[in-house]
Amino acid sequence: MRIEIVVKNYQLSDKLNDLIIKKVSKLDKYFEDDTRCKIYLKKEGKQAKMDSKMEIQLDYKGNFLRAQAYAENFYDALDIVLPKLESQIYKHRSKIEKKLRQNAFREQNVYEGVEAIDPKLVKTKRFEMHPMSIEEAIEEFEMVGHTFYVFLESESNTIKVLYMRDDGNLGLIEPEII
């Protein structure tokens, strides 16, 4: 596995660098040698208690897995994000198994606490949509207090989605029909 570490607002120590490489390399049992692994470390505002963000992205033969974690330090974030990533590997096992290493799932999990969860649809919600501007949608979004808001944009008459980003700002998804 080819590991690349990208750091923002932080000085990476040799000790942490070696530990990250050592722990992430344990995922080699699942992937071929040409798999790319990008690890992003970002220190966020000092006032936040959980200011260390770690994100790991795996690119194997055109398929992507991604997990992220926030913690007080990068050592804790590493211990949180790796089980998440391994859980995703198990969760998507049937889709990706033919692209993984032979017998990748014969041994025990690499990280403790890995539990593959198969989400199921438990609720369907219907609601009326009235055309509105993006500014009106932002106001509605702030009032409902959810992490996303689906609306019909009046200018283009298309469905759009507002969502809360990890950095506290808003994002807008504009689907394109092809």
Side-chain angles (χ1 to χ4, degrees):
M1 185 180 321
R2 296 178 304 184
I3 299 173
E4 178 186 348
I5 300 175
V6 179
V7 182
K8 186 174 181 182
N9 301 333
Y10 183 73
Q11 183 64 41
L12 183 64
S13 69
D14 290 339
K15 179 182 175 186
L16 180 58
N17 186 63
D18 294 344
L19 183 67
I20 289 171
I21 290 171
K22 178 183 174 188
K23 286 193 169 194
V24 170
S25 293
K26 289 181 181 181
L27 295 174
D28 275 344
K29 82 172 204 167
Y30 298 110
F31 302 102
E32 302 294 334
D33 293 338
D34 63 340
T35 300
R36 289 191 344 240
C37 177
K38 243 186 180 175
I39 302 164
Y40 297 94
L41 305 175
K42 181 180 178 188
K43 255 320 187 188
E44 304 207 334
K46 294 189 187 282
Q47 67 275 19
K49 188 173 184 180
M50 305 292 238
D51 67 344
S52 300
K53 177 184 176 184
M54 180 178 286
E55 179 181 326
I56 299 179
Q57 293 179 352
L58 289 172
D59 174 5
Y60 60 96
K61 299 180 182 179
N63 293 300
F64 296 92
L65 286 177
R66 179 187 167 280
Q68 74 178 19
Y70 290 90
E72 290 183 22
N73 59 60
F74 288 116
Y75 295 95
D76 292 344
L78 183 62
D79 291 337
I80 295 168
V81 77
L82 287 173
K84 282 183 178 182
L85 197 57
E86 190 173 33
S87 177
Q88 284 188 17
I89 292 167
Y90 271 81
K91 179 179 172 183
H92 300 293
R93 175 181 178 172
S94 59
K95 278 191 235 174
I96 63 176
E97 194 162 22
K98 51 189 163 272
K99 295 180 182 181
L100 296 177
R101 280 197 175 186
Q102 209 69 349
N103 303 320
F105 294 102
R106 293 215 192 276
E107 299 173 22
Q108 286 289 82
N109 295 343
V110 175
Y111 300 101
E112 294 293 320
V114 175
E115 210 176 291
I117 300 169
D118 289 327
K120 48 189 171 261
L121 181 65
V122 295
K123 184 176 181 179
T124 301
K125 197 170 190 176
R126 296 182 188 281
F127 56 94
E128 292 182 14
M129 296 180 87
H130 303 285
M132 62 179 68
S133 68
I134 293 176
E135 292 75 24
E136 292 170 320
I138 291 171
E139 289 174 12
E140 289 286 323
F141 173 70
E142 290 171 346
M143 286 193 290
V144 295
H146 294 298
T147 55
F148 68 94
Y149 185 74
V150 180
F151 69 101
L152 179 63
E153 203 262 327
S154 57
E155 191 174 308
S156 63
N157 202 33
T158 58
I159 303 254
K160 297 188 179 187
V161 180
L162 279 171
Y163 66 96
M164 182 63 67
R165 295 172 37 93
D166 289 339
D167 62 8
N169 291 311
L170 296 178
L172 180 67
I173 298 173
E174 298 178 318
E176 289 184 11
I177 299 172
I178 344 181

